[in-house]
Amino acid sequence: RLLAMSPDALHPGIRSRQRTCFRFVRLTTAVAIAVPWSAALVTPPTGVTFEERFKARQDLARAQQVPGRPRYLGCTESGEVREATGKALLRSWPGGQVDEFWTVVGGLSGLDAFQKLLRARIPVRRLIFFDRDDLQLRFGQLILALVQICADRDAFVRALFGRSMASFGRLVGVSNMLDFLDLPCDLAVEKEMAAALPENLRDLYNVTFRCLAGQSGWPLAWPSFGLKEKIPQSHRPAVRLSAAQRRLGGERNEAFHINEVGWLRDAASYADVRQAILGMSAQEGAASEAGTCHFEFRQCELGELTAPEPGQQRLLFISNIDGSPQFMAGEAMDALERTLQGLPSNAGGDVSGDYQCCSLGGTLLLSTTRVQWLPLGERKKKK
């Protein structure tokens, strides 16, 4: 009754309560359109802002935890950082083929670097995905299996988010991604993909689909996010998001950066990766032979890596591990650098008289904050 009454006929204090009721209805409706498995296209009510809808989805996802969710589904780095990392790689690679490309699984942003190498026509002989987390490693296997199944980028996005970009009819981006997610979820694609996947990945796919297509579980992984670390905010929004709510990472937001940067930037970048993976798949897990290429998955700690074989050139992508003390402290990073050069791991030892840099190959250490060539050390006799 309060909502139906004319504001002019109400006492100022009651009028304030009416405005509060209207606001409650708007927010409740915003939450309702975020509920997964919607059977029909839902149009947001007039006046409900992007921030209200964004926060409503966050609140709903936090309340719907999904057991078995991998630690990362998307990337926690900004689009700008991902783009800059790829450029730094191409500027710093010494030339010639990549004998081994080691990349941490994480949110699969290592495929950005892979695509950059492919586009630059730099051959990659061996692609090795590693992670210390077995579930994250299986997530990497799932993504590559979906890449092999899905003939184009739209099919891949549909397999993850349950919605077709082609049916959406607009270029999905940060400004309209909530409209894209408001499309009815195509539940048939879940059954279709699960049937095509290896049996050992089906349960994980169902969990991933629930998180992405159903916008459930925490943190949320978004199709796009813009190029900055924080999602753009409307001018004078009715609900102002905090910096933490708007920021990538911090166990709050992840992103695939579809139509923005990386290997999902456009149809061609996805095709580059898919064609290469299909060409490698026949040699998966096999011993590397001359002229053949393959990819594999290994569960290991970063500190367990050893130096490349003499004459080999290795690319090692560690994402943002070197900037996170929870993953690797400074001393451990120093020890890793020495190990990759084939030098003793004791940082305090003086090796200047025992070793010298040589042209026998080395490792390009790439992260979101650094790019560093680590040449193999060669032992020489003391005079």
Side-chain angles (χ1 to χ4, degrees):
R1 282 185 297 171
L2 183 61
L3 294 175
M5 295 177 68
S6 170
D8 297 333
L10 298 176
H11 184 276
I14 303 299
R15 198 179 305 157
S16 176
R17 293 184 187 178
Q18 187 190 51
R19 286 197 299 267
T20 301
C21 288
F22 271 118
R23 187 164 187 76
F24 174 77
V25 169
R26 289 169 59 194
L27 288 175
T28 304
T29 309
V31 171
I33 66 173
V35 175
W37 322 127
S38 172
L41 175 62
V42 180
T43 302
T46 303
V48 177
T49 65
F50 175 89
E51 286 76 15
E52 288 174 307
R53 297 166 67 194
F54 185 83
K55 186 177 184 301
R57 287 181 180 274
Q58 284 188 327
D59 293 341
L60 190 64
R62 190 189 288 271
Q64 295 180 334
Q65 293 299 324
V66 178
R69 181 200 189 276
R71 179 167 186 166
Y72 301 105
L73 293 176
C75 183
T76 59
E77 298 296 332
S78 71
E80 286 182 330
V81 169
R82 291 179 68 170
E83 186 67 16
T85 302
K87 291 179 179 179
L89 163 63
L90 296 183
R91 285 197 305 266
S92 305
W93 183 249
Q97 72 179 22
V98 179
D99 295 295
E100 292 181 350
F101 177 14
W102 289 70
T103 173
V104 64
V105 174
L108 275 300
S109 60
L111 289 178
D112 294 359
F114 185 50
Q115 190 271 331
K116 291 287 188 184
L117 293 170
L118 295 171
R119 187 61 63 88
R121 301 185 181 277
I122 299 175
V124 178
R125 291 300 176 192
R126 201 173 173 199
L127 179 59
I128 305 168
F129 295 90
F130 73 95
D131 209 287
R132 65 183 184 182
D133 184 342
D134 177 66
L135 181 58
Q136 201 65 43
L137 201 67
R138 288 181 57 227
F139 176 69
Q141 293 174 321
L142 170 63
I143 292 299
L144 260 66
L146 288 175
V147 167
Q148 294 174 79
I149 293 170
C150 299
D152 55 41
R153 188 180 63 140
D154 186 62
F156 178 78
V157 172
R158 177 173 169 263
L160 292 179
F161 287 94
R163 294 152 179 91
S164 167
M165 294 190 296
S167 298
F168 185 52
R170 289 177 284 166
L171 194 68
V172 176
V174 65
S175 65
N176 62 15
M177 67 176 181
L178 298 185
D179 297 333
F180 175 69
L181 294 171
D182 286 341
L183 289 173
C185 181
D186 182 2
L187 299 181
V189 70
E190 182 181 12
K191 296 180 181 179
E192 176 188 334
M193 289 297 116
L197 285 166
E199 187 174 355
N200 66 320
L201 296 176
R202 291 173 185 172
D203 288 344
L204 180 56
Y205 172 69
N206 291 334
V207 169
T208 302
F209 190 81
R210 181 182 173 189
C211 291
L212 297 178
Q215 288 277 280
S216 301
W218 193 253
L220 271 178
W222 305 94
S224 307
F225 210 80
L227 297 180
K228 303 291 184 180
E229 182 186 27
K230 296 177 184 176
I231 202 164
Q233 191 154 245
S234 305
H235 179 62
R236 294 182 179 178
V239 173
R240 185 170 293 277
L241 301 174
S242 69
Q245 289 170 330
R246 295 173 55 208
R247 182 181 294 117
L248 277 171
E251 298 185 355
R252 288 185 179 272
N253 297 296
E254 299 169 3
F256 285 82
H257 290 292
I258 296 169
N259 293 322
E260 294 171 343
V261 297
W263 69 287
L264 293 175
R265 178 174 189 165
D266 51 38
S269 57
Y270 174 84
D272 289 340
V273 171
R274 183 172 188 269
Q275 184 177 3
I277 293 299
L278 288 176
M280 289 180 160
S281 61
Q283 296 294 324
E284 182 177 356
S288 181
E289 301 176 4
T292 65
C293 311
H294 77 275
F295 67 88
E296 60 186 88
F297 292 85
R298 294 190 188 182
Q299 184 176 6
C300 66
E301 295 278 357
L302 184 57
E304 297 175 14
L305 269 61
T306 59
E309 294 294 324
Q312 287 195 339
Q313 295 191 132
R314 174 193 289 170
L315 171 61
L316 172 59
F317 175 65
I318 60 174
S319 187
N320 59 358
I321 290 178
D322 57 336
S324 305
Q326 59 176 319
F327 295 122
M328 178 163 280
E331 292 183 359
M333 197 67 211
D334 293 340
L336 174 65
E337 291 177 11
R338 298 174 63 81
T339 298
L340 294 175
Q341 294 181 80
L343 305 179
S345 59
N346 57 319
D350 179 14
V351 299
S352 58
D354 300 317
Y355 292 82
Q356 66 180 9
C357 294
C358 60
S359 58
L360 297 177
T363 299
L364 184 69
L365 180 59
L366 179 68
S367 77
T368 56
T369 59
R370 75 163 79 186
V371 56
Q372 181 180 7
W373 176 252
L374 302 172
L376 278 172
E378 181 181 39
R379 185 182 297 274
K380 66 177 183 179
K381 295 182 180 179
K382 287 184 177 181
K383 294 182 180 180

